Amino acid sequence: MPAKQSHKWTFRSRFKRDAFGWRSQPAITRIREAVSEIKKAGRKDKVLAAEGAVLFLERVSPAIQHVDSSSGAIGNAVNAAIDILVPIIAEAPAEDKLRSDWLERLWDAVEADNIPYLESLADHWGTLCATAVHAAHWADRFLPVLRMAWGPDRNLHGYFKGTTACLSALHKCARHEEILELLETAPYKFWPYRCWGVKALVALSRKAEAIKYAEERRELNDSPISIALVH
């Protein structure tokens, strides 16, 4: 690992806390440059690229926290970067200890992200885990808090950043029935959560039920396109 840690990433010095003012375009340009730098590194060393991706995701939110986000452009740029970087991290041939370290660092970044720019990273948690063993570990770590947040005591209800991460990890380790049981306890309908029920039913080869499940739990503002794309 020393060679990976000593690699000089150009983006590192550019993504310091409060590195950008209020204008979004300079930050968006730097985000795209960082992603390009990481992708280029991945052509020769996939583990190095994954390390760079983790480092970038740790640094991006603190660096852009004062950028004007009213147009949604900066958020879209971060989400686009996440969509590119998640497979780089997931597909890197990393040893278990290294992947565990990456996951801890990424979750620390999600928890520290108050804007939040890294919210969509939780949706990819099962993919980031890469193996069922890692996914099971994280699912079990998230479950007690999620069960409390969705439990019978309304005083304990509240937003939990690990909700979709938990559902994603459960899906990765094929605990599909557990997903369905858990979603039945959710205190409200919310498609980003319910879509995991559809995915679970599809994984269980219950496609007709999956379609019915999606339509029965559809709300007025839920996108029919998003629902149709879930599989």
Side-chain angles (χ1 to χ4, degrees):
M1 278 304 296
K4 308 285 188 265
Q5 293 173 347
S6 62
H7 181 82
K8 295 186 183 298
W9 293 101
T10 300
F11 72 78
R12 183 171 194 148
S13 62
R14 295 171 175 171
F15 282 85
K16 296 179 180 178
R17 182 174 293 276
D18 302 328
F20 302 97
W22 64 270
R23 292 187 303 139
S24 62
Q25 194 53 53
I28 291 170
T29 298
R30 291 305 191 193
I31 288 170
R32 291 172 178 166
E33 290 173 350
V35 171
S36 294
E37 182 183 3
I38 292 164
K39 288 171 65 179
K40 183 178 179 180
R43 296 184 195 126
K44 294 183 178 179
D45 189 332
K46 293 183 182 300
V47 174
L48 175 63
E51 174 66 30
V54 173
L55 178 64
F56 169 80
L57 291 168
E58 286 179 306
R59 300 175 77 85
V60 64
S61 185
I64 65 174
Q65 62 182 338
H66 295 306
V67 172
D68 179 15
S69 60
S70 59
S71 70
I74 188 68
N76 289 338
V78 176
N79 286 334
I82 288 172
D83 287 342
I84 294 170
L85 297 179
V86 163
I88 290 174
I89 299 168
E91 295 167 13
E95 295 180 357
D96 285 345
K97 186 176 184 302
L98 178 57
R99 186 163 299 280
S100 293
D101 178 62
W102 287 344
L103 291 166
E104 291 289 349
R105 289 166 58 191
L106 288 170
W107 191 248
D108 285 346
V110 171
E111 290 201 309
D113 175 38
N114 293 320
I115 302 299
Y117 284 117
L118 301 181
E119 188 173 27
S120 70
L121 200 61
D123 301 340
H124 300 285
W125 204 254
T127 301
L128 289 165
C129 286
T131 70
V133 172
H134 283 297
H137 166 77
W138 280 91
D140 290 337
R141 179 166 162 176
F142 291 132
L143 273 169
V145 181
L146 183 53
R147 285 184 174 133
M148 181 173 63
W150 285 0
D153 188 344
R154 293 192 176 187
N155 292 323
L156 298 177
H157 288 183
Y159 176 68
F160 173 44
K161 286 187 176 183
T163 299
T164 56
C166 182
L167 296 169
S168 178
L170 286 169
H171 185 69
K172 177 66 177 181
C173 60
R175 288 159 62 174
H176 306 304
E177 293 287 0
E178 198 166 347
I179 292 173
L180 295 170
E181 292 170 6
L182 189 60
L183 287 170
E184 288 303 313
T185 69
Y188 42 81
K189 295 180 179 180
F190 188 47
W191 175 246
Y193 301 162
R194 300 195 318 274
C195 70
W196 292 101
V198 178
K199 293 180 182 183
L201 287 167
V202 171
L204 292 167
S205 299
R206 292 155 59 181
K207 294 187 178 181
E209 288 181 63
I211 295 170
K212 184 178 179 182
Y213 184 95
E215 291 300 326
E216 284 180 347
R217 288 158 174 77
R218 178 178 166 184
E219 293 184 317
L220 182 61
N221 293 325
D222 289 337
S223 167
I225 296 174
S226 298
I227 292 172
L229 288 174
V230 173
H231 56 80

